Amino acid sequence: MVEARRQILEFRLPDLGEGLADAELISWAVAVGDAVLLNQTIAEVETAKAQVALPSPFAGEVVELLAEPGDTVAVGAPLIRVAADDAAPGPSSPDAVASRAARAEPTEETSSATTDSGQRRAVLVGYGPEEETTSRRGRTPGAGSDGTGRSDSTPAGRSDAAPAGRSDSAELPAYPEFATRQAATPAARKLGRELGIDLAVVAGSGPGGAVTVEDVRQAVPVSQPMNRARTADEPDARAAAPAPPPMRPEDGGPSRPAPIERETRIPVSGVRKRTAAAMVISSHTIPQASAFVTTDFTASMELLDHLRNTASFSGLTLTPLALIAKAALAAMAEFPDINSFWDEENREIVTKHYVNLGIAVATDRGLLVPNVKEAQTLSLRDLCRDIGWVAEMSRSGSATPADLMGGTFTISNVGVFGVDVGVPLVNPGEAAILCLGSIRKRPWVYRDEPAVRWVTTLGLSFDHRMIDGELGSRFLSTVASLLEDPLTLLGRV
């Protein structure tokens, strides 16, 4: 009887699409020693503001987990190693077995194949970078390598060039906040923080140029001796210092409760990290201007009340947002340049003849902007349904990267928080964003008579490189006019 050989297969983080460079490991669904089946969920990662479940591309026994929850893992970097028997049953056909094995990378334990040629090796989907890069997020507040609370990274030898097969447009500018940091061991980072040593100026002697504890010790200036044990002939500075007099209760003595923490440091990761990167790009690269209009929303409120009681909208939550979105889409047909973006690389203004309507959604994980695909083709009922659907997916964490990418125009509803108006930043890759303020009953001149009417304020932020003040104002004024008399929408659909 021939004993089945065990092959160690390595699963690398696949390219999940939309030009994503990395993902944060949220949790493992397996542990070392567990048996896994083909397509069984092994981990959950967060990327591009979406949480994605990763299925195993092969069956076997888990022998090693190569990342921990909280780590940021580059596309193509190894995640898990699984021991698979050559004779173990697999997919229904040999071709399927070969395909599955082709997606996995054998480790040095089972194969002598290397990447000395410099060519990239295929992973589950797409291709990964040549360097295997994993950055470790701080486990406790304030654990960043520079004391700022930002996550540490270990990109030794990492190239800033875009990975093969991916769009250069997905790369972010190298702003200081997101610059890569010196590779170092965890112990060296801890010691560097304690001594106030900037690891970026320390020459590393470890594997791949990583800074070690000994490197940090050698970098300590003579004027800053490290903490060491006191010898017998050295005086104890603490003993020589006079003891402070006891404090009275009225002066803040022991009878008072201990003071609370004065600061809380939270590592920047996940949704917050990606939102911050997008907003930095927006503020640094898009010259933005804004316009505002206050409009009588009474007729729109009456129309919404009427439609809610019809069979067509039964089971749907019809909100003012859906009607405002419909009005914006109608106005966009008249002013298509609003649905454009600035192509810096080719120095072109690209006008899109479809609308992927972004809806800003506040979630427990931060701000997400899913978009309704081909929104210009939808009726008010379908628009209402799809807006509710993408919002619910975002709040539940089930939105995919495809749901969150590719938007062409965005609406932000700050009115739900009781705010009259806002000035949102334009999302990168878009030309404008419409902001809806609160809808309130206010004094208003209606047909030359004072009256109490439903009133709201709309704001439009736009990229001034391609949208002049005239175009932005005319678009916004058209949206307001359609909301003042929403029946005129019938002539535009």
Side-chain angles (χ1 to χ4, degrees):
M1 179 177 179
V2 179
E3 182 180 355
R5 294 183 304 167
R6 288 165 60 100
Q7 183 182 28
I8 306 299
L9 300 177
E10 190 173 80
F11 176 44
R12 297 168 180 265
L13 179 67
D15 183 349
L16 299 173
E18 301 292 345
L20 304 176
D22 54 38
E24 180 180 336
L25 178 62
I26 301 300
S27 63
W28 285 108
V30 295
V32 174
D34 287 355
V36 294
L37 303 176
L38 181 66
N39 293 328
Q40 176 183 337
T41 297
I42 57 174
E44 187 176 60
V45 299
E46 182 178 73
T47 181
K49 304 181 181 178
Q51 290 187 357
V52 181
L54 294 180
S56 174
F58 36 73
E61 179 183 336
V62 178
V63 296
E64 188 175 2
L65 302 179
L66 302 176
E68 298 181 12
D71 288 356
T72 298
V73 185
V75 168
L79 272 178
I80 187 174
R81 291 192 177 112
V82 174
D85 293 337
D86 286 351
S92 56
S93 69
D95 291 341
V97 176
S99 175
R100 188 182 70 210
R103 293 197 299 264
E105 295 290 343
T107 65
E108 294 179 357
E109 299 179 44
T110 59
S111 173
S112 61
T114 66
T115 56
D116 293 340
S117 63
Q119 297 297 320
R120 290 185 165 167
R121 300 182 295 182
V123 292
L124 179 60
V125 182
Y127 292 85
E130 294 179 20
E131 296 290 339
E132 298 176 1
T133 306
T134 302
S135 63
R136 181 67 49 86
R137 185 180 69 181
R139 293 296 185 272
T140 58
S145 64
D146 57 356
T148 64
R150 293 193 296 267
S151 60
D152 298 330
S153 61
T154 57
R158 179 177 179 177
S159 170
D160 291 334
R166 296 160 61 125
S167 170
D168 291 339
S169 64
E171 298 296 325
L172 300 180
Y175 294 108
E177 291 83 354
F178 309 104
T180 53
R181 301 185 189 138
Q182 173 68 294
T185 64
R189 292 193 185 281
K190 179 180 179 182
L191 183 59
R193 288 194 300 271
E194 294 174 349
L195 299 177
I197 301 296
D198 183 3
L199 300 188
V201 299
V202 179
S205 61
V211 176
T212 65
V213 171
E214 187 59 32
D215 296 331
V216 177
R217 288 174 177 166
Q218 293 179 1
V220 178
V222 177
S223 60
Q224 183 187 347
M226 294 179 56
N227 294 333
R228 54 186 176 85
R230 182 175 55 88
T231 59
D233 57 344
E234 287 180 300
D236 189 342
R238 291 174 298 179
M247 297 181 64
R248 296 174 299 177
E250 56 269 24
D251 295 333
S255 61
R256 291 190 176 183
I260 61 173
E261 292 284 345
R262 294 176 64 86
E263 293 182 347
T264 299
R265 292 179 179 265
I266 302 174
V268 179
S269 61
V271 172
R272 180 57 56 198
K273 177 181 177 181
R274 299 180 189 281
T275 300
M279 294 301 97
V280 168
I281 294 173
S282 177
S283 62
H284 280 249
T285 64
I286 301 177
Q288 304 188 37
S290 299
F292 306 91
V293 63
T294 301
T295 185
D296 185 349
F297 202 74
T298 306
S300 289
M301 291 293 281
E302 293 172 349
L303 176 62
L304 291 170
D305 287 339
H306 172 74
L307 293 175
R308 290 187 186 107
N309 296 320
T310 63
S312 296
F313 289 87
S314 177
L316 296 177
T317 302
L318 181 58
T319 66
L321 177 61
L323 186 60
I324 292 171
K326 189 63 178 175
L329 291 167
M332 212 174 297
E334 183 176 346
F335 304 100
D337 290 342
I338 295 293
N339 192 45
S340 304
F341 80 95
W342 183 274
D343 186 345
E344 181 65 32
E345 182 178 355
N346 297 311
R347 305 297 294 179
E348 295 175 339
I349 297 175
V350 182
T351 300
K352 298 188 177 181
H353 304 296
Y354 63 92
V355 182
N356 289 344
L357 183 64
I359 303 296
V361 180
T363 74
D364 293 338
R365 297 161 49 228
L367 177 66
L368 300 181
V369 187
N371 59 82
V372 177
K373 309 298 184 185
E374 303 290 340
Q376 81 282 356
T377 65
L378 302 179
S379 65
L380 178 60
R381 182 188 184 282
D382 293 339
L383 194 59
C384 173
R385 178 200 61 206
D386 286 5
I387 288 176
W389 179 64
V390 297
E392 179 57 31
M393 281 203 313
S394 299
R395 295 189 183 100
S396 65
S398 59
T400 67
D403 297 323
L404 298 160
M405 307 291 283
T408 65
F409 181 85
T410 298
I411 298 180
S412 177
N413 183 8
V414 299
V416 295
F417 306 111
V419 176
D420 290 337
V421 71
V423 187
L425 295 179
V426 177
N427 286 322
E430 300 179 14
I433 180 171
L434 181 66
C435 185
L436 167 62
S438 60
I439 303 172
R440 307 175 187 267
K441 285 186 175 182
R442 299 176 183 174
W444 192 261
V445 177
Y446 177 68
R447 295 179 180 176
D448 294 331
E449 295 290 337
V452 176
R453 308 283 288 179
W454 289 103
V455 176
T456 189
T457 299
L458 303 174
L460 182 74
S461 296
F462 51 90
D463 187 337
H464 217 334
R465 293 175 296 183
M466 50 186 157
I467 299 179
D468 297 329
E470 177 192 5
L471 174 59
S473 298
R474 290 175 63 192
F475 168 79
L476 190 60
S477 177
T478 299
V479 174
S481 297
L482 291 172
L483 295 174
E484 286 184 355
D485 187 3
L487 294 180
T488 55
L489 279 171
L490 296 176
R492 293 174 177 259
V493 294

